[in-house]
Amino acid sequence: MAGGTFKLSSPKVRPGAYVVTKNGKQPTASNAPSGIAIIPLIGYDWGPRGEMIHLTNESPDAAKVKFGRSIYDDNECMVMLQLMFLNATEVYTYIAGGGEKAKGTITLKSGTGNVTAKYPGTLGNKIKVVSVANPEGGFDVSVVLDGSEVELIEGATKVTDLKSDYVDFAGEGELAAFASASLTGGTNEDSKVNASVATFLDMAEKIKFNCMALPTSEASLITAAVTKIKYIRNSIGWKCGLVVANSAADYENIYNLTNAAEYAGEELTIPQSVAWLAGAIAAAGYTSSLTYKIFTGATGVVGAKTNEEAIQAIKKGEIFFTVSESGDVIVEYDVNSKVTFTQDDPADIMKGRPCRVYDSFANDLLLTFVPGRFNNDPTGWTVMEGLGRAILKAYQNDGAIQNVDEENDFLVDRGASTGDSVYISCGIQPVDSAEKYYFTVIAR
């Protein structure tokens, strides 16, 4: 379905739900999904290319075969998935880059067969295949990855009997016993990273995610991701966020992370740390702030800021980690990168929680007001207003907005609505979290 922003002077061509968020009671967004994060794995050494892999916190290791590892293994990319799942409920990931598949040969009763790794990458060079005679007939063929048996095919007699999730067997003839056959020639191809990240960004348009992590310092990739998020928000209409490293996007719900954390005994880089923050933002919803949010498992801050540095960073729209009085690693202040405002921008849109209210509300409108669902007449307008006011009430009951005037905060413009176009005014006042306390103590 089409969506995005609109101007009264430029009517849209495609049917859809078009939303503008403005200061005051002007058009702004059932139940949009939350807790969904998305990340490309750049430079990973195994797995399918050109495929979005969907994981959930109920079964985070469901794609272990595709990764060649558990997400709990000590690997830089797997650690980023761990970090996301500290908060996120769902993660979409994509293995960026290219490469060659590792290959090898096996001994047959007569001649040889070929073995090719299922996926490109250097992890394929750690695959070995072993065949031993089965006392009851045939041969037991093991696939060993990095020293651990990951598959055992029992009682096979021919090459065509060998079906594996890690390698492809080719050839004809009867099997024989053979010692370890190693695969070689697997490569990672970094020259294809930019093109594959571009493909990832295009595929992301089809997913209703809440926040994307871009774990890189490459300026061209950051620019591409920022451009894509703006496009998704303004042209497609789905309100989502992005976390980048050391990049001042000056845009709502695009976060500029400028330091990192220590985790599991290792110093994370800032690009790695964006994974945790994106997961936390995705899961935060519109009723909680990330200010002083604890980074569970973190033991220190890499690049801690002084008081003056922290003040300047906040003014520049940076988000960063600090250590609390109790020794926890926390988010200092839940602010996105927006520092430049127009008269139409809500004054609080640079704050994380209010921005998520605006975004979630816009997404709920997008999902509720589907083209063709209502009549564009007084009866249909009454139904639309009823649904809109129900959304307002739900948000108020959740503590996301306040001072709702149900009769006037969701109104169809009956004079302007005609043909296939409906114009609706909606007013909301987000609730922020109490994050600054000013006390006056008077001695008696």
Side-chain angles (χ1 to χ4, degrees):
M1 184 178 76
T5 57
F6 72 92
K7 293 181 179 180
L8 293 177
S9 59
S10 302
K12 294 293 186 178
V13 175
R14 294 186 66 195
Y18 300 94
V19 181
V20 174
T21 302
K22 290 189 175 182
N23 196 19
K25 296 183 178 180
Q26 300 181 43
T28 74
S30 304
N31 295 334
S34 62
I36 302 174
I38 186 169
I39 184 173
L41 300 181
I42 298 173
Y44 193 56
D45 58 358
W46 180 256
R49 272 50 170 175
E51 175 184 332
M52 199 70 78
I53 302 171
H54 180 220
L55 305 172
T56 69
N57 61 356
E58 294 179 348
S59 54
D61 260 346
K64 186 176 180 179
V65 169
K66 292 183 178 180
F67 293 134
R69 299 179 174 89
S70 165
I71 73 162
Y72 300 105
D73 284 351
D74 184 17
N75 170 272
E76 180 177 319
C77 288
M78 296 298 98
V79 168
M80 288 192 289
L81 296 180
Q82 294 175 38
L83 295 175
M84 287 195 129
F85 273 123
L86 290 176
N87 295 286
T89 55
E90 298 179 54
V91 172
Y92 287 86
T93 187
Y94 177 97
I95 300 170
E100 298 294 330
K101 298 178 180 181
K103 298 179 179 180
T105 59
I106 57 174
T107 302
L108 303 179
K109 189 172 183 180
S110 176
T112 59
N114 297 317
V115 187
T116 304
K118 186 73 73 174
Y119 303 116
T122 55
L123 185 61
N125 299 329
K126 297 182 179 181
I127 294 177
K128 300 179 186 298
V129 181
V130 180
S131 176
V132 297
N134 185 310
E136 297 182 3
F139 297 87
D140 294 341
V141 178
S142 299
V143 178
V144 178
L145 175 61
D146 199 15
S148 298
E149 184 181 78
V150 292
E151 285 181 320
L152 175 61
I153 306 165
E154 297 182 282
T157 59
K158 299 179 180 180
V159 175
T160 53
D161 295 333
L162 301 177
K163 307 297 181 184
S164 167
D165 289 326
Y166 291 87
V167 295
D168 292 319
F169 293 93
E172 297 182 359
E174 296 182 7
L175 294 173
F178 55 83
S180 176
S182 299
L183 275 61
T184 60
T187 63
N188 306 321
E189 192 170 348
D190 294 338
S191 64
K192 293 187 177 181
V193 165
N194 285 23
S196 61
V197 170
T199 301
F200 159 78
L201 293 172
D202 289 341
M203 292 175 69
E205 292 182 13
K206 307 296 184 183
I207 299 172
K208 286 182 166 52
F209 64 91
N210 302 109
C211 195
M212 176 186 294
L214 190 71
T216 182
S217 296
E218 174 59 45
S220 63
L221 294 180
I222 292 174
T223 298
V226 169
T227 300
K228 179 62 70 173
I229 292 300
K230 290 180 179 179
Y231 174 77
I232 293 173
R233 290 177 64 86
N234 296 327
S235 295
I236 294 177
W238 183 255
K239 304 302 184 183
C240 53
L242 169 69
V243 185
V244 292
N246 290 319
S247 184
D250 191 10
Y251 201 80
E252 64 265 20
N253 219 349
I254 296 181
Y255 287 78
N256 177 21
L257 182 63
T258 57
N259 68 2
E262 296 177 6
Y263 178 77
E266 299 289 337
E267 289 191 356
L268 300 176
T269 64
I270 300 176
Q272 286 177 291
S273 298
V274 303
W276 180 88
L277 184 57
I281 291 168
Y286 53 66
T287 58
S288 62
S289 170
L290 292 184
T291 297
Y292 275 42
K293 166 78 174 178
I294 295 175
F295 187 150
T296 304
T299 55
V301 174
V302 182
K305 299 183 187 296
T306 66
N307 179 59
E308 288 302 317
E309 289 171 339
I311 292 171
Q312 294 305 311
I314 291 170
K315 289 181 178 179
K316 292 187 291 184
E318 298 176 13
I319 190 168
F320 53 90
F321 301 113
T322 191
V323 177
S324 70
E325 295 293 333
S326 59
D328 294 314
V329 175
I330 58 172
V331 175
E332 168 85 12
Y333 197 25
D334 186 359
V335 292
N336 57 55
S337 65
K338 188 170 181 63
V339 294
T340 304
F341 295 85
T342 69
Q343 63 180 4
D344 285 337
D345 290 322
D348 56 358
I349 203 167
M350 47 76 68
K351 290 294 304 297
R353 177 176 171 179
C355 186
R356 288 189 290 275
V357 174
Y358 293 124
D359 279 4
S360 181
F361 197 79
N363 287 341
D364 280 347
L365 292 182
L366 186 71
L367 296 176
T368 301
F369 294 89
V370 178
R373 183 176 181 184
F374 311 103
N375 290 335
N376 196 6
D377 60 15
T379 300
W381 299 336
T382 300
V383 173
M384 295 177 211
E385 288 178 338
L387 284 170
R389 291 165 185 173
I391 296 173
L392 288 173
K393 186 175 182 180
Y395 273 61
Q396 181 168 246
N397 290 341
D398 287 343
I401 60 176
Q402 59 189 336
N403 299 325
V404 173
D405 181 347
E406 290 189 29
E407 295 302 315
N408 297 300
D409 280 348
F410 199 98
L411 286 174
V412 174
D413 187 333
R414 284 163 164 75
S417 298
T418 185
D420 62 1
S421 299
V422 185
Y423 297 91
I424 304 172
S425 293
C426 183
I428 61 173
Q429 181 183 352
V431 175
D432 201 352
S433 298
E435 297 174 344
K436 299 174 183 176
Y437 300 90
Y438 302 94
F439 296 97
T440 299
V441 179
I442 300 175
R444 298 294 187 187

